[in-house]
Amino acid sequence: MGFYLRPQTVSDALTALAGGRYTVLAGATDHFPARVLTRPAEDILDISGVADLDLIRIDAGGIWLPARATWRAVIDAGLPPFACALVAAARQIGGQQVQNAATVVGNLCNASPAADGIPVLLALDAEVELARLGERRRIAVADFVLGNRRTARAPDELVLGVHIPAPALPARSVFEKLGARAYLVISIVMVALAAEFLPDGRIAAARVAVGACSSRALRLPALEAALCGRFPDPDLVQPDHLAPLRPIDDVRASAAYRRSAALTLLRRAVTSLSEPGCGPT
């Protein structure tokens, strides 16, 4: 059994990380279930007691999601319409017990290709804030997630949280997920779409991301360009827009099915932009 440490301040956590290699945990909803048959040997840094990392902030500059912010906290936070996709994803991650404990940052740092939160954070142009003793930095989510279970976090760094910038224009976002059932399931495909709108209803800017179709969630720049300057229309989404994706065959779906499903979900997401409300509840 490894060493277990539960600091009460960010400073104490950073001091510990500077002196050794720790696996950082908050909700631990993925970590321990994956180790049911093995005795964990790694040293654990449990940040669930760090008070400064739990409160979501919403202001004119955007949304701050600290490292301990749970998916339930996201659902209850009253986020603005431009972040509706994040609320929709939160409602589809696990059951209520998981939502009460699992964190947005944990989902991001786990860096699974099927992590539901990552396409949303990509579409919302989010940045990750990291700290080590005497230094802080911010990095785009697109640069933070490097591949399957790999991130840009150094061993002596702690992810303090995620910042989602407020859009310059009125905006909406949409999240669509396909699994073998509606809830309590690992995604086969998921898509997130965020769009800013001109006064006449045309799309001024769009960001589109697809998960579970490559070793990490990816943006689709060709589709984003095709949507700009146009009214929301599902026919704007074409198969060649999915060219960056590299889906695989596995127990949940074939690569061909994933690609076809991604096309359908993207068209559904574009249609949802012109509908009232914030997406699935």
Side-chain angles (χ1 to χ4, degrees):
M1 185 71 175
F3 184 71
Y4 176 83
L5 184 63
R6 190 171 185 265
Q8 302 299 300
T9 67
V10 170
S11 177
D12 288 344
L14 297 181
T15 299
L17 289 171
R21 295 182 71 91
Y22 286 87
T23 297
V24 181
L25 299 181
T29 55
D30 184 81
H31 181 82
F32 288 118
R35 289 159 175 78
V36 170
L37 300 179
T38 60
R39 188 174 185 181
E42 67 265 55
D43 293 335
I44 300 296
L45 185 72
D46 179 359
I47 63 169
S48 63
V50 180
D52 292 344
L53 298 179
D54 61 347
L55 294 180
I56 295 174
R57 296 198 309 268
I58 305 169
D59 57 32
I63 302 167
W64 171 248
L65 301 170
R68 288 182 52 210
T70 65
W71 291 107
R72 171 50 55 182
V74 167
I75 293 169
D76 295 339
L79 299 185
F82 73 82
C84 282
L86 190 65
V87 178
R91 287 173 171 149
Q92 297 189 61
I93 290 179
Q96 290 188 8
Q97 297 94 331
V98 169
Q99 293 167 8
N100 288 340
T103 64
V104 178
V105 167
N107 188 258
L108 175 64
C109 290
N110 196 37
S112 165
D116 290 331
I118 296 177
V120 178
L121 295 176
L122 284 171
L124 294 176
D125 206 24
E127 290 185 319
V128 184
E129 184 166 324
L130 302 103
R132 58 162 55 98
L133 280 179
E135 182 182 343
R136 292 194 181 195
R137 64 178 177 128
R138 279 192 177 183
I139 181 174
V141 168
D143 298 320
F144 179 76
V145 179
L146 303 179
N148 184 11
R149 311 287 182 175
R150 295 188 300 115
T151 73
R153 184 184 77 86
D156 64 342
E157 287 184 310
L158 177 67
V159 176
L160 298 181
V162 175
H163 180 257
I164 300 171
L169 296 171
R172 285 196 62 202
S173 61
V174 179
F175 175 76
E176 297 283 351
K177 170 176 175 172
L178 174 67
R181 55 183 182 266
Y183 295 96
L184 299 170
V185 66
I186 297 174
S187 295
I188 294 172
V189 180
M190 75 291 246
V191 306
L193 167 59
E196 298 178 40
F197 292 92
L198 297 169
D200 64 1
R202 287 180 296 126
I203 296 172
R207 290 179 297 274
V208 184
V210 178
C213 283
S214 300
S215 62
R216 58 176 176 164
L218 293 176
R219 293 263 300 268
L220 298 180
L223 175 56
E224 294 171 356
L227 293 171
C228 287
R230 308 293 293 274
F231 293 101
D233 182 350
D235 290 338
L236 293 171
V237 184
Q238 295 299 314
D240 59 344
H241 293 145
L242 279 62
L245 304 180
R246 296 292 182 270
I248 62 171
D249 299 318
D250 66 12
V251 296
R252 286 186 289 278
S254 68
Y257 180 79
R258 280 192 163 94
R259 190 174 292 275
S260 175
L263 184 65
T264 298
L265 292 186
L266 287 166
R267 288 173 172 166
R268 189 178 298 168
V270 172
T271 300
S272 295
L273 286 178
S274 58
E275 297 174 349
C278 282
T281 58

